[in-house]
């Protein structure tokens, strides 16, 4: 590996950019492939990125090993509510770097969320700061349009791989109407999972957290659920 | 990417910045119950220091020995380890898996 390539790899990593190191195994020749690059192995690299697993591409010149360097998985939870108290540690255990966003300081306290990062900011400001990417899941749990709507609008303008919003069918239908009024047509708002979570008959906050975590996992792994 | 991978590549960069020769080993394929998945890395310095792992301890010694040679020659190499590959290597994987490891010099 050339030093310049390693330095670029370290810089990509520090900036939380996804990158694939392509190595021609017979010669050791290497290059970096970023998402969107015009590269003969772009499609193979995209598969590796999606599955977060390295793969070997067979080419006319021989095997090329594609090693994936994805930024860490993140989950942004809007609403420091009861379900968040179950979902945050569950997501952390599943390998996500979790941030809770809630401007209501009585809710977002370290006592309620030990060891979880808390941002007491408005959701649109918080999302502008956190810059969700294709390795980020965003879940809104407040039911309050003042908090959920700006979060969803910011989420829909990002590459987040999962967007979920808590609320009954009726609540969700009204939410969709407001988003359409704000200029988000169906091709955009259909990304939102609402009512949030897999249909497993969840009742308690922890059970609802399980149903959300299951749906997030399915989205990450590219399985319909 | 795991925190571990982070430290491995940073160590490789730091060692080289300190004037040491460095090699990188990467698991490129596995069969059966190999202990570390493809993509796992090991960084090796010329005095034999290493960080990371490619097998959980079974073949690191052999990889380090080969890496020291590759630091001198500069020619990258693909090494195959496994219990069924008895003519080429004396070290095998106790777990019964096979792995292929790509070793290169940091230029």
């Amino acid at each position: 590996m050339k030093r310049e390539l390693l330095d670029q790899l370290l810089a990509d990593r520090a900036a939380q950019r996804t990158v694939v190191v392509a190595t021609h195994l017979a010669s050791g020749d290497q290059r970096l492939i970023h998402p969107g690059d015009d590269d003969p192995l772009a499609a193979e690299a995209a598969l590796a990125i999606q599955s977060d697993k390295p793969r070997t591409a067979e080419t006319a010149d021989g095997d090329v090993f594609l090693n994936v360097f994805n930024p860490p998985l993140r989950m942004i939870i809007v609403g420091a509510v009861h379900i968040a108290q179950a979902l945050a540690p569950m997501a952390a255990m599943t390998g996500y770097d979790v941030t809770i966003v809630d401007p209501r300081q009585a809710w977002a306290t370290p006592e309620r969320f030990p060891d979880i990062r808390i941002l007491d900011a408005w959701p649109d400001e918080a999302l502008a700061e956190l810059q969700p990417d294709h390795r980020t899941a965003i879940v809104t749990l407040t039911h309050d349009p003042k908090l959920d709507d700006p979060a969803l609008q910011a989420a829909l303008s990002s590459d987040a791989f999962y967007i979920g919003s808590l609320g009954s069918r009726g609540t969700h239908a009204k939410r969709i109407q407001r988003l359409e009024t704000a200029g988000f047509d169906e091709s955009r708002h259909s990304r939102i999972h609402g009512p949030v979570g897999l249909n497993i008959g969840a009742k308690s906050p922890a059970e609802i957290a399980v149903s959300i975590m299951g749906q997030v996992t399915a989205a990450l792994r590219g399985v319909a659920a | 990417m795991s925190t571990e991978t982070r430290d491995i590549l940073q160590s490789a960069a730091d060692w080289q910045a300190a004037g040491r020769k460095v090699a990188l080993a990467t698991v490129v394929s596995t069969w059966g119950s190999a202990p570390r998945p493809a993509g796992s890395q090991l960084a090796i310095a010329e005095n034999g220091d290493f960080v990371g792992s490619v097998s959980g301890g079974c073949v690191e010694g052999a990889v380090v020995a080969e890496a020291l040679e590759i630091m001198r020659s500069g020619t990258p190499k693909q090494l195959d380890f496994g219990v069924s590959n008895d003519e080429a290597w004396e070290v095998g994987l106790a777990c019964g898996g096979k792995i292929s490891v790509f070793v290169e010099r940091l230029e």
Side-chain angles (χ1 to χ4, degrees):
Chain A
M1 180 177 286
K2 291 201 166 57
R3 183 53 198 247
E4 306 85 78
L5 189 136
L6 176 61
D7 286 342
Q8 182 62 50
L9 178 57
L10 291 170
D12 285 336
R13 217 178 46 177
Q16 307 218 328
R17 280 190 295 265
T18 289
V19 61
V20 172
V21 178
T23 306
H24 184 243
L25 291 175
S27 66
D29 287 349
Q30 276 167 331
R31 64 181 186 275
L32 298 180
I33 306 175
H34 295 92
D37 279 0
D38 182 19
D39 187 283
L41 291 176
E44 292 264 8
L47 287 172
I49 291 166
Q50 158 80 28
S51 63
D52 195 30
K53 267 196 190 144
R55 58 194 287 126
T56 301
E58 293 170 10
T59 74
D61 292 334
D63 287 352
V64 177
F65 180 66
L66 303 170
N67 204 5
V68 190
F69 294 87
N70 265 317
L73 288 166
R74 290 188 289 161
M75 181 181 283
I76 301 170
I77 301 172
V78 177
V81 298
H82 201 171
I83 293 169
Q85 286 179 278
L87 181 57
M90 212 177 275
M93 191 182 291
T94 314
Y96 290 75
D97 185 3
V98 181
T99 304
I100 304 255
V101 176
D102 201 320
R104 302 169 296 180
Q105 289 177 3
W107 297 72
T109 63
E111 290 71 33
R112 284 163 53 83
F113 295 96
D115 302 323
I116 302 284
R117 184 183 320 109
I118 299 169
L119 275 183
D120 57 350
W122 284 89
D124 45 348
E125 294 164 4
L127 288 182
E129 181 185 331
L130 293 168
Q131 299 196 353
D133 59 18
H134 70 287
R135 299 271 292 166
T136 307
I138 301 170
V139 185
T140 71
L141 298 175
T142 73
H143 299 101
D144 181 345
K146 282 200 306 298
L147 294 167
D148 280 357
D149 285 13
L152 288 171
Q153 292 189 17
L156 288 172
S157 304
S158 78
D159 287 335
F161 73 87
Y162 177 91
I163 305 171
S165 193
L166 184 73
S168 66
R169 282 181 198 289
T171 303
H172 191 63
K174 282 183 209 150
R175 180 181 291 144
I176 290 300
Q177 274 179 6
R178 290 194 304 271
L179 284 170
E180 288 190 341
T181 307
F184 293 86
D185 63 14
E186 195 187 348
S187 69
R188 298 182 71 188
H189 70 60
S190 60
R191 282 171 71 197
I192 302 173
H193 294 267
V196 75
L198 300 178
N199 185 6
I200 56 171
K203 295 279 181 237
S204 72
E207 287 173 353
I208 293 167
V210 167
S211 81
I212 296 171
M213 207 59 237
Q215 195 171 46
V216 170
T217 305
L220 175 71
R221 299 303 176 192
V223 175
Chain B
M1 185 180 352
S2 67
T3 315
E4 196 202 4
T5 314
R6 203 161 299 219
D7 297 340
I8 295 163
L9 291 175
Q10 192 59 57
S11 297
D14 293 348
W15 284 337
Q16 199 193 40
R20 296 159 82 176
K21 288 200 178 81
V22 181
L24 276 174
T26 307
V27 177
V28 294
S29 50
T30 65
W31 299 265
S33 57
R36 296 299 317 273
S40 302
Q41 290 188 308
L42 180 70
I44 307 106
E46 59 186 318
N47 65 345
D49 283 353
F50 63 89
V51 290
S53 69
V54 290
S55 74
C58 313
V59 302
E60 270 75 3
V63 171
V64 168
E66 196 70 33
L68 296 175
E69 179 52 38
I70 288 165
M71 278 176 214
R72 278 188 286 274
S73 70
T75 312
K77 226 178 193 180
Q78 199 172 337
L79 313 172
D80 294 318
F81 298 98
V83 284
S84 57
N85 192 2
D86 45 28
E87 64 280 325
W89 295 96
E90 289 180 357
V91 279
L93 295 169
C95 47
K98 284 169 66 179
I99 61 171
S100 183
V101 181
F102 179 78
V103 188
E104 61 191 317
R105 180 169 78 180
L106 182 60
E107 305 286 352

